[in-house]
mmCIF file of all heavy atoms in Angstrom:
data_model
loop_
_atom_site.group_PDB
_atom_site.id
_atom_site.type_symbol
_atom_site.label_atom_id
_atom_site.label_comp_id
_atom_site.label_asym_id
_atom_site.label_seq_id
_atom_site.Cartn_x
_atom_site.Cartn_y
_atom_site.Cartn_z
ATOM 1 N N GLY W 361 -60.659 -54.276 32.506
ATOM 2 C CA GLY W 361 -61.574 -54.625 31.438
ATOM 3 C C GLY W 361 -62.022 -56.082 31.431
ATOM 4 O O GLY W 361 -62.831 -56.490 30.556
ATOM 5 N N GLU W 362 -61.575 -56.840 32.402
ATOM 6 C CA GLU W 362 -61.984 -58.262 32.439
ATOM 7 C C GLU W 362 -63.388 -58.409 32.997
ATOM 8 O O GLU W 362 -63.786 -57.650 33.893
ATOM 9 C CB GLU W 362 -60.991 -59.055 33.348
ATOM 10 C CG GLU W 362 -61.006 -60.542 33.082
ATOM 11 C CD GLU W 362 -60.034 -61.262 34.015
ATOM 12 O OE1 GLU W 362 -58.913 -60.740 34.261
ATOM 13 O OE2 GLU W 362 -60.390 -62.369 34.493
ATOM 14 N N ASP W 363 -64.160 -59.340 32.461
ATOM 15 C CA ASP W 363 -65.523 -59.555 32.923
ATOM 16 C C ASP W 363 -65.536 -60.532 34.118
ATOM 17 O O ASP W 363 -65.518 -61.747 33.918
ATOM 18 C CB ASP W 363 -66.408 -60.097 31.780
ATOM 19 C CG ASP W 363 -67.826 -60.298 32.209
ATOM 20 O OD1 ASP W 363 -68.188 -59.969 33.356
ATOM 21 O OD2 ASP W 363 -68.613 -60.882 31.406
ATOM 22 N N VAL W 364 -65.510 -59.982 35.318
ATOM 23 C CA VAL W 364 -65.372 -60.794 36.516
ATOM 24 C C VAL W 364 -66.635 -60.833 37.353
ATOM 25 O O VAL W 364 -66.698 -61.434 38.410
ATOM 26 C CB VAL W 364 -64.220 -60.297 37.414
ATOM 27 C CG1 VAL W 364 -62.892 -60.395 36.689
ATOM 28 C CG2 VAL W 364 -64.473 -58.880 37.897
ATOM 29 N N ALA W 365 -67.699 -60.106 36.899
ATOM 30 C CA ALA W 365 -68.846 -59.823 37.750
ATOM 31 C C ALA W 365 -69.517 -61.108 38.284
ATOM 32 O O ALA W 365 -69.725 -61.191 39.505
ATOM 33 C CB ALA W 365 -69.878 -58.982 37.001
ATOM 34 N N GLN W 366 -69.774 -62.067 37.427
ATOM 35 C CA GLN W 366 -70.486 -63.265 37.888
ATOM 36 C C GLN W 366 -69.659 -64.054 38.907
ATOM 37 O O GLN W 366 -70.160 -64.531 39.919
ATOM 38 C CB GLN W 366 -70.960 -64.144 36.741
ATOM 39 C CG GLN W 366 -71.944 -65.214 37.129
ATOM 40 C CD GLN W 366 -73.185 -64.651 37.877
ATOM 41 O OE1 GLN W 366 -73.860 -63.746 37.353
ATOM 42 N NE2 GLN W 366 -73.446 -65.136 39.090
ATOM 43 N N SER W 367 -68.374 -64.129 38.627
ATOM 44 C CA SER W 367 -67.484 -64.857 39.508
ATOM 45 C C SER W 367 -67.378 -64.143 40.844
ATOM 46 O O SER W 367 -67.376 -64.791 41.943
ATOM 47 C CB SER W 367 -66.176 -65.038 38.766
ATOM 48 O OG SER W 367 -65.165 -65.328 39.615
ATOM 49 N N LEU W 368 -67.360 -62.845 40.842
ATOM 50 C CA LEU W 368 -67.309 -62.078 42.110
ATOM 51 C C LEU W 368 -68.650 -62.213 42.896
ATOM 52 O O LEU W 368 -68.660 -62.419 44.105
ATOM 53 C CB LEU W 368 -67.047 -60.578 41.814
ATOM 54 C CG LEU W 368 -67.091 -59.650 43.013
ATOM 55 C CD1 LEU W 368 -66.066 -60.033 44.099
ATOM 56 C CD2 LEU W 368 -66.848 -58.176 42.556
ATOM 57 N N LEU W 369 -69.735 -62.222 42.144
ATOM 58 C CA LEU W 369 -71.048 -62.421 42.775
ATOM 59 C C LEU W 369 -71.118 -63.789 43.454
ATOM 60 O O LEU W 369 -71.595 -63.919 44.572
ATOM 61 C CB LEU W 369 -72.176 -62.325 41.761
ATOM 62 C CG LEU W 369 -72.658 -60.908 41.383
ATOM 63 C CD1 LEU W 369 -73.608 -61.001 40.182
ATOM 64 C CD2 LEU W 369 -73.294 -60.192 42.547
ATOM 65 N N ASP W 370 -70.643 -64.798 42.792
ATOM 66 C CA ASP W 370 -70.630 -66.177 43.338
ATOM 67 C C ASP W 370 -69.819 -66.218 44.625
ATOM 68 O O ASP W 370 -70.226 -66.793 45.622
ATOM 69 C CB ASP W 370 -70.035 -67.190 42.331
ATOM 70 C CG ASP W 370 -70.946 -67.410 41.144
ATOM 71 O OD1 ASP W 370 -72.133 -67.017 41.173
ATOM 72 O OD2 ASP W 370 -70.427 -67.905 40.101
ATOM 73 N N LEU W 371 -68.659 -65.567 44.571
ATOM 74 C CA LEU W 371 -67.765 -65.574 45.757
ATOM 75 C C LEU W 371 -68.442 -64.885 46.951
ATOM 76 O O LEU W 371 -68.475 -65.391 48.056
ATOM 77 C CB LEU W 371 -66.446 -64.817 45.404
ATOM 78 C CG LEU W 371 -65.480 -64.639 46.532
ATOM 79 C CD1 LEU W 371 -64.804 -65.950 46.922
ATOM 80 C CD2 LEU W 371 -64.382 -63.608 46.170
ATOM 81 N N LEU W 372 -69.024 -63.677 46.663
ATOM 82 C CA LEU W 372 -69.667 -62.913 47.750
ATOM 83 C C LEU W 372 -70.888 -63.670 48.279
ATOM 84 O O LEU W 372 -71.130 -63.722 49.496
ATOM 85 C CB LEU W 372 -70.105 -61.556 47.236
ATOM 86 C CG LEU W 372 -68.934 -60.568 47.049
ATOM 87 C CD1 LEU W 372 -69.290 -59.528 46.025
ATOM 88 C CD2 LEU W 372 -68.584 -59.921 48.377
ATOM 89 N N HIS W 373 -71.619 -64.252 47.398
ATOM 90 C CA HIS W 373 -72.812 -65.000 47.734
ATOM 91 C C HIS W 373 -72.466 -66.138 48.684
ATOM 92 O O HIS W 373 -73.112 -66.370 49.708
ATOM 93 C CB HIS W 373 -73.450 -65.568 46.449
ATOM 94 C CG HIS W 373 -74.720 -66.318 46.692
ATOM 95 N ND1 HIS W 373 -74.751 -67.627 47.086
ATOM 96 C CD2 HIS W 373 -76.026 -65.943 46.541
ATOM 97 C CE1 HIS W 373 -75.970 -68.037 47.187
ATOM 98 N NE2 HIS W 373 -76.780 -67.033 46.875
ATOM 99 N N ASP W 374 -71.347 -66.836 48.393
ATOM 100 C CA ASP W 374 -70.956 -67.971 49.235
ATOM 101 C C ASP W 374 -70.289 -67.531 50.507
ATOM 102 O O ASP W 374 -70.375 -68.248 51.518
ATOM 103 C CB ASP W 374 -69.995 -68.879 48.478
ATOM 104 C CG ASP W 374 -70.680 -69.563 47.306
ATOM 105 O OD1 ASP W 374 -71.936 -69.520 47.242
ATOM 106 O OD2 ASP W 374 -69.965 -70.133 46.432
ATOM 107 N N TRP W 375 -69.640 -66.417 50.511
ATOM 108 C CA TRP W 375 -68.807 -66.043 51.667
ATOM 109 C C TRP W 375 -69.518 -65.217 52.729
ATOM 110 O O TRP W 375 -69.399 -65.457 53.916
ATOM 111 C CB TRP W 375 -67.575 -65.280 51.176
ATOM 112 C CG TRP W 375 -66.548 -65.014 52.246
ATOM 113 C CD1 TRP W 375 -65.557 -65.883 52.629
ATOM 114 C CD2 TRP W 375 -66.435 -63.857 53.046
ATOM 115 N NE1 TRP W 375 -64.846 -65.305 53.642
ATOM 116 C CE2 TRP W 375 -65.342 -64.056 53.924
ATOM 117 C CE3 TRP W 375 -67.126 -62.629 53.126
ATOM 118 C CZ2 TRP W 375 -64.932 -63.105 54.868
ATOM 119 C CZ3 TRP W 375 -66.722 -61.698 54.072
ATOM 120 C CH2 TRP W 375 -65.658 -61.927 54.915
ATOM 121 N N LEU W 376 -70.269 -64.189 52.291
ATOM 122 C CA LEU W 376 -70.728 -63.154 53.255
ATOM 123 C C LEU W 376 -71.581 -63.675 54.363
ATOM 124 O O LEU W 376 -71.267 -63.434 55.541
ATOM 125 C CB LEU W 376 -71.480 -62.025 52.467
ATOM 126 C CG LEU W 376 -71.908 -60.871 53.361
ATOM 127 C CD1 LEU W 376 -70.726 -60.105 53.900
ATOM 128 C CD2 LEU W 376 -72.855 -59.969 52.615
ATOM 129 N N PHE W 377 -72.636 -64.412 54.039
ATOM 130 C CA PHE W 377 -73.549 -64.839 55.109
ATOM 131 C C PHE W 377 -72.847 -65.829 56.036
ATOM 132 O O PHE W 377 -73.061 -65.793 57.258
ATOM 133 C CB PHE W 377 -74.836 -65.454 54.543
ATOM 134 C CG PHE W 377 -75.758 -64.470 53.897
ATOM 135 C CD1 PHE W 377 -76.973 -64.857 53.300
ATOM 136 C CD2 PHE W 377 -75.476 -63.104 53.917
ATOM 137 C CE1 PHE W 377 -77.834 -63.924 52.733
ATOM 138 C CE2 PHE W 377 -76.335 -62.154 53.371
ATOM 139 C CZ PHE W 377 -77.541 -62.586 52.752
ATOM 140 N N GLY W 378 -72.003 -66.660 55.467
ATOM 141 C CA GLY W 378 -71.212 -67.588 56.311
ATOM 142 C C GLY W 378 -70.336 -66.838 57.291
ATOM 143 O O GLY W 378 -70.236 -67.178 58.450
ATOM 144 N N HIS W 379 -69.706 -65.750 56.796
ATOM 145 C CA HIS W 379 -68.793 -65.001 57.646
ATOM 146 C C HIS W 379 -69.605 -64.301 58.780
ATOM 147 O O HIS W 379 -69.188 -64.289 59.931
ATOM 148 C CB HIS W 379 -68.049 -63.913 56.844
ATOM 149 C CG HIS W 379 -67.114 -63.097 57.666
ATOM 150 N ND1 HIS W 379 -65.938 -63.581 58.191
ATOM 151 C CD2 HIS W 379 -67.210 -61.810 58.111
ATOM 152 C CE1 HIS W 379 -65.343 -62.618 58.862
ATOM 153 N NE2 HIS W 379 -66.067 -61.529 58.873
ATOM 154 N N ILE W 380 -70.765 -63.748 58.409
ATOM 155 C CA ILE W 380 -71.589 -63.060 59.446
ATOM 156 C C ILE W 380 -72.048 -64.070 60.508
ATOM 157 O O ILE W 380 -71.964 -63.815 61.696
ATOM 158 C CB ILE W 380 -72.809 -62.379 58.795
ATOM 159 C CG1 ILE W 380 -72.311 -61.211 57.869
ATOM 160 C CG2 ILE W 380 -73.769 -61.858 59.872
ATOM 161 C CD1 ILE W 380 -73.449 -60.554 57.068
ATOM 162 N N LEU W 381 -72.511 -65.218 60.044
ATOM 163 C CA LEU W 381 -73.087 -66.208 60.963
ATOM 164 C C LEU W 381 -72.015 -66.969 61.798
ATOM 165 O O LEU W 381 -72.263 -67.319 62.939
ATOM 166 C CB LEU W 381 -73.951 -67.208 60.222
ATOM 167 C CG LEU W 381 -75.227 -66.626 59.581
ATOM 168 C CD1 LEU W 381 -75.890 -67.632 58.659
ATOM 169 C CD2 LEU W 381 -76.180 -66.157 60.652
ATOM 170 N N ASP W 382 -70.880 -67.255 61.176
ATOM 171 C CA ASP W 382 -69.866 -68.085 61.842
ATOM 172 C C ASP W 382 -68.847 -67.243 62.564
ATOM 173 O O ASP W 382 -68.438 -67.536 63.680
ATOM 174 C CB ASP W 382 -69.150 -68.992 60.838
ATOM 175 C CG ASP W 382 -70.129 -69.971 60.243
ATOM 176 O OD1 ASP W 382 -71.184 -70.235 60.828
ATOM 177 O OD2 ASP W 382 -69.860 -70.451 59.096
ATOM 178 N N GLU W 383 -68.293 -66.177 61.902
ATOM 179 C CA GLU W 383 -67.181 -65.436 62.504
ATOM 180 C C GLU W 383 -67.654 -64.188 63.241
ATOM 181 O O GLU W 383 -67.219 -63.968 64.364
ATOM 182 C CB GLU W 383 -66.159 -65.037 61.414
ATOM 183 C CG GLU W 383 -64.998 -65.964 61.349
ATOM 184 C CD GLU W 383 -65.141 -66.952 60.249
ATOM 185 O OE1 GLU W 383 -65.642 -66.588 59.143
ATOM 186 O OE2 GLU W 383 -64.769 -68.112 60.425
ATOM 187 N N ASP W 384 -68.476 -63.360 62.599
ATOM 188 C CA ASP W 384 -68.918 -62.132 63.251
ATOM 189 C C ASP W 384 -69.715 -62.457 64.512
ATOM 190 O O ASP W 384 -69.591 -61.735 65.533
ATOM 191 C CB ASP W 384 -69.772 -61.273 62.304
ATOM 192 C CG ASP W 384 -68.936 -60.646 61.191
ATOM 193 O OD1 ASP W 384 -67.692 -60.604 61.330
ATOM 194 O OD2 ASP W 384 -69.526 -60.163 60.216
ATOM 195 N N ALA W 385 -70.491 -63.537 64.480
ATOM 196 C CA ALA W 385 -71.306 -63.872 65.633
ATOM 197 C C ALA W 385 -70.464 -64.076 66.897
ATOM 198 O O ALA W 385 -70.920 -63.816 67.977
ATOM 199 C CB ALA W 385 -72.078 -65.198 65.329
ATOM 200 N N LEU W 386 -69.196 -64.490 66.702
ATOM 201 C CA LEU W 386 -68.337 -64.759 67.838
ATOM 202 C C LEU W 386 -67.971 -63.484 68.641
ATOM 203 O O LEU W 386 -67.766 -63.553 69.833
ATOM 204 C CB LEU W 386 -67.022 -65.429 67.391
ATOM 205 C CG LEU W 386 -67.165 -66.820 66.707
ATOM 206 C CD1 LEU W 386 -65.799 -67.283 66.198
ATOM 207 C CD2 LEU W 386 -67.746 -67.814 67.695
ATOM 208 N N TYR W 387 -67.922 -62.348 67.931
ATOM 209 C CA TYR W 387 -67.527 -61.111 68.682
ATOM 210 C C TYR W 387 -68.729 -60.380 69.269
ATOM 211 O O TYR W 387 -68.582 -59.420 70.052
ATOM 212 C CB TYR W 387 -66.702 -60.166 67.800
ATOM 213 C CG TYR W 387 -67.393 -59.479 66.633
ATOM 214 C CD1 TYR W 387 -68.492 -58.641 66.852
ATOM 215 C CD2 TYR W 387 -66.946 -59.650 65.312
ATOM 216 C CE1 TYR W 387 -69.115 -57.981 65.794
ATOM 217 C CE2 TYR W 387 -67.579 -59.000 64.250
ATOM 218 C CZ TYR W 387 -68.673 -58.192 64.502
ATOM 219 O OH TYR W 387 -69.283 -57.551 63.469
ATOM 220 N N VAL W 388 -69.968 -60.813 68.937
ATOM 221 C CA VAL W 388 -71.141 -60.072 69.354
ATOM 222 C C VAL W 388 -71.258 -59.903 70.876
ATOM 223 O O VAL W 388 -71.489 -58.789 71.345
ATOM 224 C CB VAL W 388 -72.432 -60.683 68.762
ATOM 225 C CG1 VAL W 388 -73.675 -60.061 69.310
ATOM 226 C CG2 VAL W 388 -72.394 -60.531 67.228
ATOM 227 N N PRO W 389 -71.055 -60.934 71.677
ATOM 228 C CA PRO W 389 -71.173 -60.714 73.141
ATOM 229 C C PRO W 389 -70.187 -59.663 73.626
ATOM 230 O O PRO W 389 -70.575 -58.791 74.392
ATOM 231 C CB PRO W 389 -70.848 -62.110 73.748
ATOM 232 C CG PRO W 389 -71.156 -63.059 72.634
ATOM 233 C CD PRO W 389 -70.801 -62.389 71.352
ATOM 234 N N THR W 390 -68.946 -59.734 73.164
ATOM 235 C CA THR W 390 -67.906 -58.746 73.649
ATOM 236 C C THR W 390 -68.283 -57.339 73.208
ATOM 237 O O THR W 390 -68.211 -56.424 74.038
ATOM 238 C CB THR W 390 -66.526 -59.132 72.999
ATOM 239 O OG1 THR W 390 -66.209 -60.459 73.337
ATOM 240 C CG2 THR W 390 -65.441 -58.193 73.531
ATOM 241 N N VAL W 391 -68.680 -57.172 71.949
ATOM 242 C CA VAL W 391 -68.980 -55.803 71.470
ATOM 243 C C VAL W 391 -70.293 -55.291 72.108
ATOM 244 O O VAL W 391 -70.359 -54.115 72.492
ATOM 245 C CB VAL W 391 -69.046 -55.789 69.944
ATOM 246 C CG1 VAL W 391 -69.529 -54.421 69.428
ATOM 247 C CG2 VAL W 391 -67.690 -56.096 69.330
ATOM 248 N N SER W 392 -71.238 -56.153 72.304
ATOM 249 C CA SER W 392 -72.483 -55.695 72.965
ATOM 250 C C SER W 392 -72.207 -55.234 74.348
ATOM 251 O O SER W 392 -72.722 -54.198 74.780
ATOM 252 C CB SER W 392 -73.522 -56.846 73.012
ATOM 253 O OG SER W 392 -73.792 -57.308 71.727
ATOM 254 N N ARG W 393 -71.376 -55.976 75.091
ATOM 255 C CA ARG W 393 -71.031 -55.572 76.468
ATOM 256 C C ARG W 393 -70.290 -54.232 76.440
ATOM 257 O O ARG W 393 -70.522 -53.345 77.281
ATOM 258 C CB ARG W 393 -70.149 -56.636 77.156
ATOM 259 C CG ARG W 393 -70.924 -57.762 77.807
ATOM 260 C CD ARG W 393 -70.050 -58.520 78.785
ATOM 261 N NE ARG W 393 -68.831 -59.045 78.157
ATOM 262 C CZ ARG W 393 -68.771 -60.237 77.525
ATOM 263 N NH1 ARG W 393 -69.839 -61.028 77.474
ATOM 264 N NH2 ARG W 393 -67.640 -60.666 76.986
ATOM 265 N N TYR W 394 -69.426 -54.083 75.461
ATOM 266 C CA TYR W 394 -68.678 -52.826 75.320
ATOM 267 C C TYR W 394 -69.620 -51.628 75.105
ATOM 268 O O TYR W 394 -69.468 -50.584 75.735
ATOM 269 C CB TYR W 394 -67.708 -52.953 74.152
ATOM 270 C CG TYR W 394 -67.040 -51.677 73.733
ATOM 271 C CD1 TYR W 394 -66.050 -51.098 74.511
ATOM 272 C CD2 TYR W 394 -67.422 -50.992 72.566
ATOM 273 C CE1 TYR W 394 -65.437 -49.910 74.124
ATOM 274 C CE2 TYR W 394 -66.834 -49.835 72.183
ATOM 275 C CZ TYR W 394 -65.862 -49.254 72.961
ATOM 276 O OH TYR W 394 -65.289 -48.071 72.598
ATOM 277 N N PHE W 395 -70.661 -51.839 74.301
ATOM 278 C CA PHE W 395 -71.586 -50.746 74.030
ATOM 279 C C PHE W 395 -72.390 -50.467 75.290
ATOM 280 O O PHE W 395 -72.716 -49.306 75.585
ATOM 281 C CB PHE W 395 -72.528 -51.098 72.880
ATOM 282 C CG PHE W 395 -71.937 -50.808 71.524
ATOM 283 C CD1 PHE W 395 -71.856 -51.753 70.529
ATOM 284 C CD2 PHE W 395 -71.436 -49.522 71.243
ATOM 285 C CE1 PHE W 395 -71.322 -51.478 69.301
ATOM 286 C CE2 PHE W 395 -70.886 -49.236 69.990
ATOM 287 C CZ PHE W 395 -70.809 -50.204 69.001
ATOM 288 N N VAL W 396 -72.766 -51.483 76.027
ATOM 289 C CA VAL W 396 -73.513 -51.275 77.265
ATOM 290 C C VAL W 396 -72.687 -50.454 78.224
ATOM 291 O O VAL W 396 -73.147 -49.480 78.823
ATOM 292 C CB VAL W 396 -73.986 -52.612 77.901
ATOM 293 C CG1 VAL W 396 -74.537 -52.404 79.302
ATOM 294 C CG2 VAL W 396 -75.030 -53.279 77.008
ATOM 295 N N ARG W 397 -71.392 -50.846 78.380
ATOM 296 C CA ARG W 397 -70.478 -50.145 79.300
ATOM 297 C C ARG W 397 -70.336 -48.689 78.909
ATOM 298 O O ARG W 397 -70.219 -47.813 79.735
ATOM 299 C CB ARG W 397 -69.091 -50.772 79.255
ATOM 300 C CG ARG W 397 -68.889 -51.978 80.136
ATOM 301 C CD ARG W 397 -67.406 -52.218 80.462
ATOM 302 N NE ARG W 397 -66.557 -52.187 79.283
ATOM 303 C CZ ARG W 397 -66.256 -53.234 78.493
ATOM 304 N NH1 ARG W 397 -66.831 -54.414 78.792
ATOM 305 N NH2 ARG W 397 -65.443 -53.137 77.461
#
Side-chain angles (χ1 to χ4, degrees):
E362 199 181 321
D363 181 5
V364 298
Q366 192 53 55
S367 161
L368 176 59
L369 279 171
D370 292 343
L371 176 71
L372 285 155
H373 183 278
D374 292 346
W375 189 84
L376 183 67
F377 288 179
H379 180 73
I380 294 174
L381 294 170
D382 298 336
E383 262 100 38
D384 288 344
L386 298 175
Y387 69 61
V388 172
T390 305
V391 173
S392 301
R393 275 197 303 273
Y394 169 74
F395 277 126
V396 169
R397 275 201 312 272

